[in-house]
Amino acid sequence: MFISLWEFFYGHFFRFWMKWVLRQMTGKCELQRIFDTYGGAQRTYRIENSLTYSKSKVLQNATRVAESQLDRCIVDIMKEKNICPEKDTSFQICMRTCLLQITGYKQLYQDVENVRKKPYDSGNVQHEKLLLKLWSLLMPTEKLKARISKQWVDIGFQGDDPKTDFRGMGILGLINLVYFSENYTSEAHQILSRSNHPKLGYSYAIVGINLTEMAYSLLKSEALKLHLYNFVPGTPTMEHFHQFYCYLVYEFDKFWLEEEPESIMYFNLYREKFHEKIKGLLMDCNAVLTLKT
């Protein structure tokens, strides 16, 4: 209750007066002071908060502006805050970068969500080609005898038809599996081999789909903001989401082997432990979680 009262009074009274006092002392608005003081993800994150909690509709709407309207939006912000472009020559450049990251993150979530909502369709030729491509990438020396086959279990699916395993994450789960196998083929083969360990083994494809859900939930909860604001100096895209997924796959395999679980029956326990570890890393304002092989 005390925290809620503090947030209320800070948001409605103290913040306004603090900003006014600092403006009189420095001659600069809060946005300018952030640009002068911070860099990287801290800068973008603080700019986003300043815009979001501003009483000005011009500033609030900036976090949702279309890229085509970005330059016009920045001009409007400068007029609203009485910022002279001749005196502060870097403001427009810095604000443009921040807005690309802020609006790009929102768009990335929508793009990922749209793909996740698409169910795997065995009647869709492109979906079927993608599934067969996954087999070819992971098992280049072994021919798949039939589309419906027990062989799918060899790469970690639960039964003879993988389509049933994509229900939770839709086609996104398959796209991620293929992306990792195609861009990190050697690593994918090594991890698949380790996943068949007689004691520490796990279902490669099923775990991969599970990690897609983890990446998606971290994106949705905005836990990926600091990482993406540090990693991408502009608009984050699906490519960057796939790259983060690859990091999770690689790091989870190492984590699983280091932990040496007694049985696959404890998967959910160790999955949550790994999840908490990643969330902790993502809280670092300098976080950049990329796959280093």
Side-chain angles (χ1 to χ4, degrees):
M1 182 177 176
F2 175 76
I3 294 175
S4 297
L5 285 172
W6 164 250
E7 289 177 346
F8 174 81
F9 282 109
Y10 176 77
H12 289 78
F13 302 104
F14 298 139
R15 185 171 182 271
F16 171 79
W17 288 109
M18 284 175 62
K19 288 170 63 177
W20 184 84
V21 169
L22 288 170
R23 175 103 195 206
Q24 301 309 307
M25 291 174 61
T26 65
K28 294 184 177 183
C29 71
E30 183 177 48
L31 299 174
Q32 291 173 296
R33 295 195 300 273
I34 291 172
F35 286 139
D36 287 347
T37 309
Y38 301 97
Q42 284 194 77
R43 168 184 285 183
T44 304
Y45 194 77
R46 288 172 182 269
I47 288 293
E48 184 174 13
N49 283 337
S50 181
L51 295 173
T52 300
Y53 296 110
S54 173
K55 293 182 179 180
S56 166
K57 292 296 182 183
V58 172
L59 270 62
Q60 290 177 17
N61 293 336
T63 62
R64 300 182 296 273
V65 69
E67 188 172 345
S68 60
Q69 299 297 314
L70 212 58
D71 292 328
R72 177 71 256 175
C73 175
I74 295 171
V75 170
D76 291 341
I77 291 173
M78 297 182 75
K79 286 181 179 178
E80 182 77 8
K81 304 304 291 183
N82 296 315
I83 299 171
C84 177
E86 286 75 24
K87 289 184 179 180
D88 194 340
T89 56
S90 63
F91 184 89
Q92 287 177 294
I93 297 171
C94 294
M95 182 56 76
R96 194 173 204 284
T97 299
C98 287
L99 290 181
L100 282 173
Q101 292 179 313
I102 293 165
T103 58
Y105 190 97
K106 296 178 190 295
Q107 185 58 53
L108 174 59
Y109 169 69
Q110 287 302 320
D111 292 342
V112 171
E113 178 70 353
N114 289 338
V115 178
R116 185 192 70 84
K117 285 181 177 178
K118 293 179 182 177
Y120 182 89
D121 181 6
S122 56
N124 185 309
V125 175
Q126 295 304 316
H127 290 189
E128 287 288 287
K129 283 184 177 180
L130 201 59
L131 181 59
L132 295 176
K133 182 178 183 179
L134 177 64
W135 176 268
S136 298
L137 286 166
L138 291 175
M139 307 291 278
T141 61
E142 186 173 337
K143 186 177 179 180
L144 186 65
K145 297 175 181 177
R147 166 61 181 78
I148 308 297
S149 170
K150 293 293 184 183
Q151 287 176 282
W152 290 112
V153 176
D154 296 340
I155 60 173
F157 287 104
Q158 294 183 100
D160 57 8
D161 191 351
K163 74 175 184 179
T164 59
D165 294 326
F166 294 118
R167 286 173 184 164
M169 286 290 107
I171 193 66
L172 181 64
L174 176 57
I175 290 173
N176 271 343
L177 283 168
V178 171
Y179 183 94
F180 180 67
S181 301
E182 188 169 32
N183 291 275
Y184 299 96
T185 308
S186 176
E187 289 77 13
H189 288 168
Q190 291 170 20
I191 293 174
L192 176 61
S193 176
R194 288 194 290 269
S195 73
N196 289 316
H197 189 280
K199 183 181 178 183
L200 300 176
Y202 57 85
S203 299
Y204 175 84
I206 295 300
V207 170
I209 295 170
N210 197 289
L211 291 173
T212 289
E213 192 281 328
M214 186 182 293
Y216 165 77
S217 67
L218 289 167
L219 178 70
K220 184 178 181 180
S221 68
E222 301 187 346
L224 283 189
K225 277 189 174 180
L226 293 176
H227 159 69
L228 288 175
Y229 288 170
N230 279 321
F231 184 50
V232 187
T235 305
T237 65
M238 285 291 289
E239 180 76 12
H240 301 115
F241 176 78
H242 295 323
Q243 284 287 328
F244 178 69
Y245 166 80
C246 293
Y247 168 85
L248 289 182
V249 173
Y250 191 78
E251 290 300 318
F252 178 81
D253 179 67
K254 288 200 301 182
F255 173 83
W256 181 264
L257 295 176
E258 288 169 0
E259 291 290 323
E260 298 186 346
E262 293 179 23
S263 165
I264 191 64
M265 298 298 291
Y266 294 99
F267 173 78
N268 287 337
L269 176 67
Y270 286 93
R271 190 259 191 204
E272 189 56 32
K273 188 175 179 181
F274 178 71
H275 191 194
E276 290 301 316
K277 176 184 177 181
I278 296 299
K279 286 195 291 185
L281 293 173
L282 289 170
M283 290 176 68
D284 182 353
C285 62
N286 297 311
V288 179
L289 306 188
T290 55
L291 196 162
K292 296 180 177 64
T293 60

